Amino acid sequence: MSCAGEPSVRVDRSAGEPADGPGDEFLARILLTRVLEPGDETGGRWVRELGAREVVSRLREGTAPLPGVSGRRWAGLLARAERAEPGRDLAVARDAGARFVCPGTAEWPRQLDDLGDGRPLGLWVRGPADLRMWALRSVAVVGARACTEYGAHMAATLSAELAERGWVVVSGGAYGVDGAAHRGALGSGGATVAVLACGVDRPYPRGHTGLITRIAEQGLVIGELPPGDHPTPSRFILRNRVIAALTRGTVVVEAAHRSGSLVTARAARRLGRHMMGVPGPATSGRSAGVHELLRREAVLVTDAAEIIELVGDMGELAPDRRGPVLPRDLLEPAARQVLDALPARATAGVDEIARGARTTRDDAIARLYELRALGYVERHGDDWKLTRQAVIPVGDGSDDH
């Protein structure tokens, strides 16, 4: 399929444009990525109601402002449209090994349509994989840029485990948790997607140029902004909605109260995706934002199995979590009841033990000899006492004493 409103054309993935020449709607959407900011719902409504070609036509002809904008803003959009060169953007993208994927094409991830009029006009994509197929089984792992060693370790470990289980790890390519998540997935030979707040031909931050280049070679680097465009604070925030919409759920690993990763998590919740958090030390300000999410609507997760139980298919359950199995746990209930009736450090007679175990004297004697054979009790004349083997596991393994 082609962009909405165009005859069916095949996208040449190496060149980033339709094989039989770029269609008007395709080029119009590319032009509009130079004119409208990401997430502009007013512009998105124009495109939905009129089509990208008609919106571009009105911008190029300098007609009266479309609904929802002031004359001043319309003038700014006209100036941007006049300078836009979609053909040049395609050429620059081709040189960078990128392509443009827009709504209605075979590679478009349809879950992005959940963003309504705020959905991207299209996405610039670098990398050999099919974006739509990868997004079908993907999880976002995001968090603090200034993360601790614990945060980096958890992000890398979770991402490696997810990748090993066939899940695609999506993050923002930033320092800290994002970079650790990407490296964890790559290190396990898995798949990862970096969603940038700038042109995909201009890796940001620059210190991650090598990492983002590696992601483009082994995975995918995507973004809404045209080639050469630079990031701004507002673009980082708007980029987060794409991460949230693209994936089945968002995991936050370390985040302070004002962290941008919390925006991603809350966007995921609004879109009906899973919102998950990895707990940190109660005294750590860098985990305070995650803990606030966990107090409200997020689900606590500690490993990939717990994440997959939420975002995966029915039946992909995490293993039951329980403490170590102690030898006394393997006893039959009746024998364990008699064992529990003995005092911790003193001896006791058979009648006292039978009363404590709520059983008969004969049954208590039979169980006591069984427990002696297993090394749990010893006889002292007519009385019985726990052995060291029976006492130590009670003190070490029970949370009730």
Side-chain angles (χ1 to χ4, degrees), residues 317-391:
L317 302 178
D320 290 337
R321 312 295 184 187
R322 54 181 301 178
V325 177
L326 302 173
R328 65 186 294 145
D329 297 332
L330 303 178
L331 294 173
E332 292 182 3
R336 191 161 59 245
Q337 199 166 350
V338 169
L339 184 64
D340 290 340
L342 272 82
R345 293 179 177 82
T347 61
V350 173
D351 290 338
E352 180 184 348
I353 295 169
R355 285 194 300 272
R358 297 186 181 88
T359 188
T360 65
R361 176 184 173 86
D362 289 344
D363 182 62
I365 292 173
R367 299 297 177 185
L368 286 166
Y369 278 104
E370 176 186 336
L371 291 168
R372 187 175 73 167
L374 294 171
Y376 286 107
V377 299
E378 55 192 17
R379 188 171 179 179
H380 291 261
D382 292 332
D383 294 336
W384 295 82
K385 183 179 181 181
L386 294 173
T387 63
R388 181 175 175 80
Q389 173 183 333
V391 173

Side-chain angles (χ1 to χ4, degrees), residues 27-41:
L27 287 173
R29 284 181 175 270
I30 292 175
L31 184 147
L32 289 175
T33 64
R34 286 281 179 196
V35 177
L36 301 173
E37 281 294 305
D40 186 333
E41 294 189 359

